Amino acid sequence: MRRSGRAAAASRAAILLALSMAAVFTLFPIYMALLNSVKTEGEMLTNVLSWPSRLELLNYADAYEKIDFPQSFKNTIVVTVIGVAGIVLFASLAGYKMSRTPGRLSGALFGLFALSSLIPFHSIMISLVRIAKGLHLQGTTYGLALVYIGLGVALAVVLYHGFVKSIPRELDEAAVIDGCGELRLFSSVIFPLLLPISATVAILNALWMWNDFLLPLLMLTDSDYYTLLIATNMLFGEYNNDWSAILASLVLTMLPVVAAYLLLQKYILSGIAEGAIKG
Amino acid sequence: MTRGAKRTAVLLAFVLPALLFYLVCTIAPAFGGFWYSLTDWNGLNREYEWVGVSNYVEALRDDPYFLDSILFTLKYVMFMVVLQNVAALGLAVLVESRRRSKALFRTIFFMPNMLSMIVGGFMWMFIFTKALPFFAERTGFGWLDRSWIGDPTLSFYSILMLSLWGGVGYIMVIYIAGLQGVPAHLKEAAAIDGANAWQIVRHVTLPMISPAMTIGVFLTLSSSFKVFDAVYALTGGGPGRSTQVIAINIMEEAFRFQQRYGYASAKAMILFLIVLLVTLIQLRVMKRREVEA
């Protein structure tokens, strides 16, 4: 008994050691970026591991200016907010009604939306950019947000469609008897009940839009409309050895996401798992 | 209006906004891409000619760069599917065995998935080009001071490293969900029947999480075939074309050098067919095994 107790303790210690090493490995690049973003260039070059002798915030001032942080931050927020709001609104309307309406038309529409998971972005990006140009959506933050709605709405429809099945139909019927119209029924009875799936849809899409690179790279041509990621990429292209400014701008780009993650991780992790399994 | 007609009208009214956006931004470009792939359009001229399947023939027969990019992507996909799923399952099992530190480790391992691979790629670039040479000098481990980005062979491993760092946490979360779904009484029953820890894993846990494995392999497959950000940030497809994955080859064809839209569209269709075929086979094979289990 004693022997197996000791063996169990040893194996627990080995597991803890393995996990800790993996954790250090995972956090190391982020730690390196943070640490060296507050050192002078000279200090960084002599010792990447050393603690900064003093906080060098000039790197941040430099990066702030070079990526035009207020503008590119605002652009990223605008794209994400409009994109997410559009997807949540349109997908919940469509997913709810299709789920509640039996029949061939409804089934065919659902099939069309479900098809989206088969279509990889790379296969459509070339003509998507042409279409966006034709509709004057290329080149602006709003245009980019609208394209995100068109790219993300179908998966969200599928998620809402599945979730609505768990809401009892009696609720709809009771509301109709009380004299609720279609839109009223949706906005005051159904939509609030969709909150859990709306949270999942919002999280998945906000993360995607915040971190997506290829679409804004193709869509945005004018630096006034750059998102944080595109601005950082341009900074890297222009000054690819100015690591002080690059690391500071990486920190500025990831800070909002990491903060949101630490605050909302419970919802984020369950949303991710759910999105992966159902989508 | 009859009741049926009214119902249809209401359905369409609710579906229309979503449908419109979806048709314009996904379905139309899908058809458009297929149409362009049969033409010689260069993206600029108004006029272009219909060339049938000659773009496909050229891509698969006369374009060594494209064929190399397919082979390189296949190699990357194979490494990723094995390494990422083994690492994710391993981490999931270890994390689940902890009681109080479970949440902490899960939070840490998932963290890179919150960041763009472009951000992660630049951070790793710093590690490869600035930190590792420094460690090599300090520790005397000269082998650390290699050209991790600039060497054609090593850059493959650097890209793998970055991809695993950025992707493993996501798959781990799926395996954790799978592990949590294994009923405790099954494991207890097996233990009472005299099964040891390994036998329980082999005959109870693994079969019970086979649906999670199907998803984990599927997600790794489909994202690895389409990999772009990680390669773009770290090597840009270089040195030379040694790390040029399919997505980078298509991008260069369409937007960088030649602006051969029609030809690039044909390559994009080929990528689509490869992903579709491989994932359909994978789902079929793995779903069948799920039933057996």
Side-chain angles (χ1 to χ4, degrees), chain A residues 2 22 28 40-41 61 71 85 92 113 188 207 218 247 252 267:
Chain A
R2 202 188 170 115
F28 187 66
T40 61
E41 180 114 34
Q71 186 63 47
S92 60
F113 283 111
S188 19
L207 258 182
L218 298 176
L247 293 178
L252 287 175
Y267 306 98

Side-chain angles (χ1 to χ4, degrees), chain A residues 42-222:
Chain A
E43 250 186 307
M44 182 191 85
L45 291 175
T46 36
N47 190 342
V48 287
L49 275 180
S50 72
W51 202 246
S53 54
R54 64 180 173 83
L55 281 184
E56 174 66 314
L57 293 176
L58 268 179
N59 297 335
Y60 280 88
D62 192 24
Y64 188 88
E65 202 174 303
K66 279 181 177 150
I67 63 170
D68 193 358
F69 184 79
Q71 186 63 47
S72 46
F73 185 70
K74 196 189 115 200
N75 291 339
T76 317
I77 297 269
V78 167
V79 170
T80 310
V81 168
I82 296 181
V84 168
I87 288 177
V88 165
L89 179 63
F90 298 154
S92 60
L93 281 168
Y96 158 70
K97 204 69 206 173
M98 283 192 296
S99 195
R100 281 292 195 254
T101 314
R104 229 183 278 167
L105 175 66
S106 173
L109 284 170
F110 179 71
L112 186 63
F113 283 111
L115 208 64
S116 77
S117 59
L118 293 178
I119 305 172
F121 176 72
H122 297 90
S123 303
I124 62 171
M125 66 181 177
I126 298 168
S127 45
L128 174 63
V129 171
R130 303 305 298 183
I131 289 174
K133 202 177 228 172
L135 295 172
H136 301 286
L137 295 175
Q138 204 198 25
T140 69
T141 328
Y142 297 102
L144 180 60
L146 295 182
V147 172
Y148 272 126
I149 296 177
L151 286 172
V153 76
L155 172 65
V157 166
V158 174
L159 290 174
Y160 277 111
H161 189 272
F163 188 86
V164 168
K165 289 183 195 144
S166 69
I167 299 175
R169 268 171 184 278
E170 286 75 22
L171 277 175
D172 300 34
E173 285 153 16
V176 171
I177 290 167
D178 288 349
C180 244
E182 289 282 354
L183 271 179
R184 183 75 203 285
L185 164 67
F186 178 79
S187 65
S188 19
V189 179
I190 302 297
F191 191 73
L193 292 171
L194 296 176
L195 188 66
I197 194 71
S198 293
T200 298
V201 167
I203 286 167
L204 288 174
N205 285 292
L207 258 182
W208 164 50
M209 290 173 205
W210 193 279
N211 286 333
D212 188 40
F213 176 67
L214 190 47
L215 182 66
L217 183 71
L218 298 176
M219 290 275 295
L220 303 174
T221 41
D222 183 343

Side-chain angles (χ1 to χ4, degrees), chain B residues 31-89:
Chain B
F31 281 105
F34 178 60
W35 169 251
Y36 290 141
S37 77
L38 302 171
T39 71
D40 65 354
W41 192 36
N42 66 4
L44 297 170
N45 293 5
R46 242 166 222 290
E47 284 145 42
Y48 52 84
E49 290 202 11
W50 203 75
V51 296
V53 294
S54 70
N55 286 329
Y56 291 85
V57 173
E58 183 182 345
L60 293 172
R61 202 186 58 192
D62 309 322
D63 189 338
Y65 294 141
F66 184 57
L67 294 180
D68 282 349
S69 78
I70 293 180
L71 288 179
F72 182 80
T73 308
L74 281 175
K75 182 172 137 194
Y76 171 83
V77 168
M78 284 192 288
F79 272 84
M80 279 301 284
V81 166
V82 175
L83 292 176
Q84 180 147 288
N85 283 281
V86 168
L89 181 57

Side-chain angles (χ1 to χ4, degrees), chain A residues 12-13 15-16 18-20 22-23 25-30 32-33 36 44-49 90-91 93-94 96-98 100-102 105-106 109 112-116 118-131 135 146-147 149-151 153-154 157 182-183 186 207 211-214 217-218 229 232-233 236 241 243 246-247 250 253-254 257-258 260-262 265 268-269 272-273 275-277, chain B residues 6-8 10-19 21-34 36 41 43-44 91 94-95 97-99 101 103 105-120 122-127 129-131 134-135 138 161 165 170 173-174 177 215 218-219 226-229 232-233 247 250-251 254-255 259 261 264-265 268-269 271-273 275-276 280:
Chain A
R12 287 191 62 76
I15 288 175
L16 184 61
L19 284 172
S20 305
F25 173 80
T26 305
L27 294 178
F28 187 66
I30 301 172
M32 279 280 102
N36 287 290
M44 182 191 85
L45 291 175
T46 36
N47 190 342
V48 287
L49 275 180
F90 298 154
L93 281 168
Y96 158 70
K97 204 69 206 173
M98 283 192 296
R100 281 292 195 254
T101 314
L105 175 66
S106 173
L109 284 170
L112 186 63
F113 283 111
L115 208 64
S116 77
L118 293 178
I119 305 172
F121 176 72
H122 297 90
S123 303
I124 62 171
M125 66 181 177
I126 298 168
S127 45
L128 174 63
V129 171
R130 303 305 298 183
I131 289 174
L135 295 172
L146 295 182
V147 172
I149 296 177
L151 286 172
V153 76
V157 166
E182 289 282 354
L183 271 179
F186 178 79
L207 258 182
N211 286 333
D212 188 40
F213 176 67
L214 190 47
L217 183 71
L218 298 176
L229 213 49
T232 303
N233 178 56
F236 189 86
N241 255 323
W243 276 107
I246 292 165
L247 293 178
L250 291 180
T253 307
M254 70 180 170
V257 194
V258 173
Y261 177 53
L262 294 179
Q265 53 168 310
I268 292 176
L269 284 168
I272 295 280
I277 288 159
Chain B
K6 189 182 172 230
R7 190 179 237 177
T8 305
V10 172
L11 172 69
L12 286 177
F14 273 74
V15 173
L16 206 62
L19 188 63
F21 274 91
Y22 176 53
L23 286 179
V24 170
C25 295
T26 305
I27 297 296
F31 281 105
F34 178 60
Y36 290 141
W41 192 36
L44 297 170
L91 284 177
L94 294 185
V95 166
S97 79
R98 304 294 306 173
R99 252 167 266 136
S101 54
F105 281 118
R106 200 183 48 190
T107 302
I108 293 173
F109 295 140
F110 190 76
M111 179 91 79
N113 291 80
M114 298 294 297
L115 310 178
S116 164
M117 276 301 231
I118 296 291
V119 169
F122 290 158
M123 292 196 304
W124 274 94
M125 175 91 95
F126 181 75
I127 306 274
T129 60
K130 298 287 164 198
F134 170 78
F135 296 147
R138 280 300 163 96
M161 181 96 274
W165 174 83
Y170 180 43
V173 168
I174 290 160
I215 299 170
F218 171 78
L219 290 173
K226 296 179 273 182
V227 62
F228 177 82
D229 290 10
Y232 177 94
I250 293 174
M251 278 290 290
F255 300 107
Q259 290 238 347
Y261 271 59
S265 296
M269 283 296 141
L271 172 61
F272 164 63
L273 290 175
V275 177
L276 189 67
L280 280 181

